[in-house]
Amino acid sequence: MIVGSIKAKWGISSSDVAYHFGTSGLSVAAATAITHPLDVLKVRLQMQLVGQRGPLTGMGKLSMQLVKSEGLRALYLGMTPALMRSVLYGGLRLGLYEPSKYVCELAFESRNVLMKIASGAFSGAVATALTNPVEVLKVRLQMRRTTTGGPILELQKIASEEGVAALWKGVGPAMARAATLTASQLATYDESKQILLRWTSLQEGFYLHLAASTIAGTVSTIMTAPIDMIKTRLMLQRQSKRVGSYKNGLQCAYQVLVTEGPRGLYKGGFAMFARLGPQTTITFIVCEQLRGLAGLKAL
């Protein structure tokens, strides 16, 4: 009944769903390909532990050390699973947003920002739950100093040594991060566009998409940086002997606060902003262009 009502009211067909998924996945993949080196640096920064690796290293110094000790290719570790995840996760995360928003609007007869936040949280959480193994693989490869073996062998190694359940390691914080990210990113982008259209001379097009996506990237980084750091620690705790044993996300957050202070929750935050800001901007600009080519309305 709900599906029929959605089709009747918004004219959504199966081909539209495919277009939603395709345009979203391709736009996120394009942004990921450009910003992937910053993601590698973010993961390396997040794994620095006070008292175990000496003084903390900044992003600039870390990047030079990384290239010097491991070569330029180290900045692209985990690229294959990152692109794979981008298409699947990005396609689901952005592709589910509008259908979810339509269902919320239909069920609650409301189009306020809370519906957008709920829709973003739902689509982000579902997308992450389904694609978490690829994220675990990506993070593990980003911490390796050698690239021998490849993603398939690394996946088999994780499953054989730690069990299949290890592929969903950190899925709780990952879902919380994705829900927070998608809710803040998409709801902020959506609302920013509406506000800019009402209060400025901007019209639907590149400059409007640029302004709204920049705002969305800033807000989503502030909201998700602590959760992203916790997710990374949990995914790598069996991979690296330098990392303590965390039972869950809450205990990990507590240990970080006790041993590293509040700033520890934002470790790698600058690298995350340097990556997520441009990635958000590129994602939305490319997505809007692809949606136009596919005959879909703007986000």
Side-chain angles (χ1 to χ4, degrees), residues 249-261:
L250 288 176
Q251 198 236 357
C252 178
Y254 175 75
Q255 289 295 329
V256 170
L257 283 171
V258 170
T259 60
E260 303 172 48

Side-chain angles (χ1 to χ4, degrees), residues 47 49 52 169 230 233-256 259-260:
M47 293 310 298
L49 299 178
Q52 295 188 31
K169 186 173 291 182
I230 293 168
R233 292 283 178 92
L234 288 174
M235 287 181 173
L236 282 166
Q237 63 177 342
R238 289 282 300 278
Q239 169 74 2
S240 174
K241 295 180 181 179
R242 291 185 293 267
V243 185
S245 178
Y246 304 121
K247 295 180 181 179
N248 51 53
L250 288 176
Q251 198 236 357
C252 178
Y254 175 75
Q255 289 295 329
V256 170
T259 60
E260 303 172 48

Side-chain angles (χ1 to χ4, degrees), residues 84 127 158 164 166 221 245 251 272 286:
M84 185 190 309
I158 295 171
V164 176
T221 301
S245 178
Q251 198 236 357
M272 184 177 176
V286 173

